[in-house]
């Protein structure tokens, strides 16, 4: 069986600016493709991305060649498999229970949303990223994790520093110096908060981990909080911006959502299908295998593009369009298999049920003064990085 074809032309900067035209071509012609710029075998069809994530025995998350461990100063649960992974994941799970979402986080997130949306300057044009999406995502996450002493700037700095470190595949010293600084600030914050929770527990991730009957070791408590800081801020932020952009550029869909409140949640799901906040994931190949008629050798790293899977012509018609009326079909924006996103339900609640309806209720004539000024960017993570919006 042959090796997958090799692409040595596409650049990381092309993929960062807009990967979707390349993905469309790859799906049609070379759905299993070794991409030189990535040093990985890229999978762009929904069938293949799902099969890889659903098979952790063959496709491991424990890839020692990535800079994540260096950036987080820890081997996080995202780089573990099997029992080892599940033990750490389960330790944090009670914070995300349906009951806690309903009884603790929903009312609290509503208060936060009212506060942050209430402070927006009516009648002005602001950058949606810095004025609302970043800070509100930071505040909600700080509460959920139990580190609410950290301010919004600190949360955003920590999250970005960890992400940049984990994506530092050139192993440059600069990003690691910054992630090291973030780590020492986070460690201090966690240590202080943990002392308080031993006295006064609550339902936050940190509190449930330190107060468990059979708690995991403190180093793992820290690494769980760090992975949630790195993986729980920019996705709600980016999905909020993407869904607002999708609705404002499709006024008939926005009008329908204002008529039928059930459509806010549909719009949220459609937005993360359309532009997946986490676009790709990597897995290490444990044994020689085959995907789509090509030989995939042991030791290779496959990269699943959920961004591309979510536009797959086999599952969606005109997948490149934002369309809340499209036929319901499952998407892969929250991943698949044992590493399926832990924040799925809380993000749905936060963006689809709380922030979106509140924002359009308070600013019924919200508008984009110039949609062309909105810049989407990113290969690993993707969303608008600049989004001027007028608050009316
Ligand atoms: C729109 C919002 C979100 C999206 C689209 C999203 C997407 C994802 C994806 C695709 C993965 C799987 C990565 C992989 O397979 O390698 C993941 C994992 C994860 N997500 Fe999210 N996420 C979102 C929000 C959140 C939030 C708010 C949290 C809160 C802390 C969170 C916590 C996590 C954690 C801890 C994992 C790792 C799970 C594991 O490895 O077992 N996510 N997320």
């Amino acid at each position: 069986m042959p090796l997958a074809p090799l692409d040595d032309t596409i650049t990381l900067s092309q993929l960062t600016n807009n990967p979707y035209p390349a993905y469309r071509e790859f799906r049609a012609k070379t759905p299993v493709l070794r991409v030189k710029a990535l040093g990985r075998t890229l999978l762009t069809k929904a069938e293949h991305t799902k099969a890889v994530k659903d098979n952790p025995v063959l496709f491991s998350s424990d890839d020692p060649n990535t800079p994540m461990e260096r950036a987080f100063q820890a081997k996080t649960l995202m780089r573990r498999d099997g029992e080892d992974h599940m033990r750490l994941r389960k330790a944090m799970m009670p914070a995300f229970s349906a009951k806690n979402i309903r009884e603790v986080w929903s009312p609290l997130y509503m208060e936060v949303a009212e506060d942050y949306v209430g402070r927006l300057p009516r009648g002005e044009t602001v950058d949606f990223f810095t004025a609302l999406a970043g800070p509100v995502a930071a505040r909600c996450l700080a509460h959920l994790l139990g580190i609410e002493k950290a301010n919004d700037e600190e949360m955003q700095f920590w999250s970005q520093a960890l992400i940049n470190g984990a994506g530092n595949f050139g192993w440059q010293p600069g990003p690691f110096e910054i992630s090291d600084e973030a780590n020492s600030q986070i460690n201090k914050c966690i240590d202080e908060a943990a002392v308080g929770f031993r006295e006064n527990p609550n339902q936050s991730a940190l509190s449930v981990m330190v107060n468990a009957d059979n708690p995991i070791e403190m180093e793992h408590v820290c690494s769980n909080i760090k992975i949630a800081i790195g993986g729980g801020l920019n996705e709600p932020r980016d999905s909020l911006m993407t869904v607002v952009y999708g609705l404002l550029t499709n006024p008939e869909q926005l009008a329908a959502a204002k008529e039928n409140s059930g459509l806010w949640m549909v719009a949220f799901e459609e937005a993360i299908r359309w532009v997946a906040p986490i676009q790709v994931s990597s897995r290490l190949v444990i044994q020689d295998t085959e995907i789509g008629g090509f030989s995939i050798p042991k030791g290779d790293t496959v990269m699943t593009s959920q961004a591309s899977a979510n536009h797959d012509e086999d599952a969606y018609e005109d997948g490149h369009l934002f369309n809340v009326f499209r036929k319901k079909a499952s998407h892969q924006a929250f991943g698949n298999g044992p590493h399926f996103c832990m924040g799925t339900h809380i993000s749905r609640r936060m963006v689809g049920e709380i922030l979106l309806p509140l924002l359009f209720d308070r600013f019924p004539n919200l508008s984009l003064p110039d949609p062309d000024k909105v810049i989407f960017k990113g290969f690993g993570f993707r969303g608008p990085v600049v989004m001027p919006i007028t608050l009316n």
Side-chain angles (χ1 to χ4, degrees), residues 241-255 274 320-323 360 366-374 376 387-389:
M241 287 192 289
T242 300
V243 66
V244 169
Y245 174 85
L247 288 168
L248 291 178
T249 49
N250 292 278
E252 73 299 345
Q253 298 183 36
L254 175 59
W274 187 45
H320 61 294
L321 300 178
F322 176 85
N323 179 8
F360 282 102
L366 200 64
S367 63
L368 296 171
D370 183 355
D372 290 343
K373 291 243 166 72
V374 180
F376 279 79
M387 187 167 160
I389 199 164

Side-chain angles (χ1 to χ4, degrees), residues 163-176:
I163 288 173
N164 292 349
N168 182 19
F169 283 89
W171 295 79
Q172 300 295 318
F176 291 141

Side-chain angles (χ1 to χ4, degrees), residues 110-365:
M110 188 49 124
E111 263 178 50
V112 172
E114 298 250 13
D115 178 21
Y116 280 56
V117 171
R119 279 192 265 145
L120 291 172
R122 191 169 296 278
E124 287 182 25
T125 298
V126 297
D127 176 28
F128 194 52
F129 185 117
T130 45
L132 181 72
V136 81
R139 191 65 359 228
C140 289
L141 186 65
H143 283 294
L144 172 65
L145 300 185
I147 49 171
E148 59 269 38
K149 285 239 168 70
N151 66 37
D152 298 346
E153 287 70 33
E154 285 170 322
M155 288 296 293
Q156 293 181 85
F157 164 65
W158 295 346
S159 181
Q160 203 55 51
L162 292 174
I163 288 173
N164 292 349
N168 182 19
F169 283 89
W171 295 79
Q172 300 295 318
F176 291 141
E177 282 162 20
I178 299 173
S179 56
D180 285 347
E181 174 58 28
N183 272 289
S184 65
Q185 295 178 14
I186 298 170
N187 290 342
K188 187 164 171 281
C189 179
I190 292 176
D191 287 344
E192 286 172 11
V195 174
F197 287 136
R198 289 196 179 98
E199 292 286 309
N200 295 305
N202 70 8
Q203 298 305 318
S204 68
L206 180 56
S207 183
V208 300
M209 285 193 284
V210 297
N211 290 309
D213 290 343
N214 185 11
I216 55 172
E217 303 72 11
M218 200 56 201
E219 63 172 296
H220 296 312
V221 169
C222 283
S223 81
N224 273 2
I225 294 293
K226 286 179 192 169
I227 198 65
I229 294 174
L233 196 159
N234 56 335
E235 301 84 353
R237 176 195 73 202
D238 294 351
S239 63
L240 175 64
M241 287 192 289
T242 300
V243 66
V244 169
Y245 174 85
L247 288 168
L248 291 178
T249 49
N250 292 278
E252 73 299 345
Q253 298 183 36
L254 175 59
K258 285 179 175 173
E259 285 292 307
N260 168 6
S261 64
L263 276 181
W264 296 121
M265 187 61 84
V266 177
F268 166 71
E269 295 290 339
E270 173 62 0
I272 60 173
R273 179 205 65 77
W274 187 45
V275 182
I278 299 187
Q279 296 246 303
V280 293
S281 310
S282 291
R283 297 292 188 265
L284 184 67
V285 180
I286 297 300
Q287 272 172 32
D288 289 348
T289 185
E290 168 275 327
I291 300 177
F294 295 104
S295 160
I296 306 287
K298 170 181 173 176
D300 194 9
T301 305
V302 288
M303 183 174 255
T304 62
S305 172
Q306 40 270 6
S308 175
N310 285 351
H311 285 208
D312 192 333
E313 292 71 14
D314 290 346
Y316 313 98
E317 204 180 314
D318 289 332
H320 61 294
L321 300 178
F322 176 85
N323 179 8
V324 299
F325 306 122
R326 72 171 57 252
K327 204 168 112 219
K328 200 168 180 309
S330 60
H331 62 72
Q332 299 188 23
F334 288 117
N336 283 295
H339 289 272
F340 187 77
C341 175
M342 291 182 71
T344 302
H345 299 294
I346 197 142
S347 304
R348 285 179 173 143
R349 189 65 75 117
M350 171 183 167
V351 182
E353 259 182 51
I354 297 177
L355 277 160
L356 258 191
L358 182 75
L359 191 64
F360 282 102
D361 177 66
R362 300 301 146 84
F363 297 100
N365 297 317

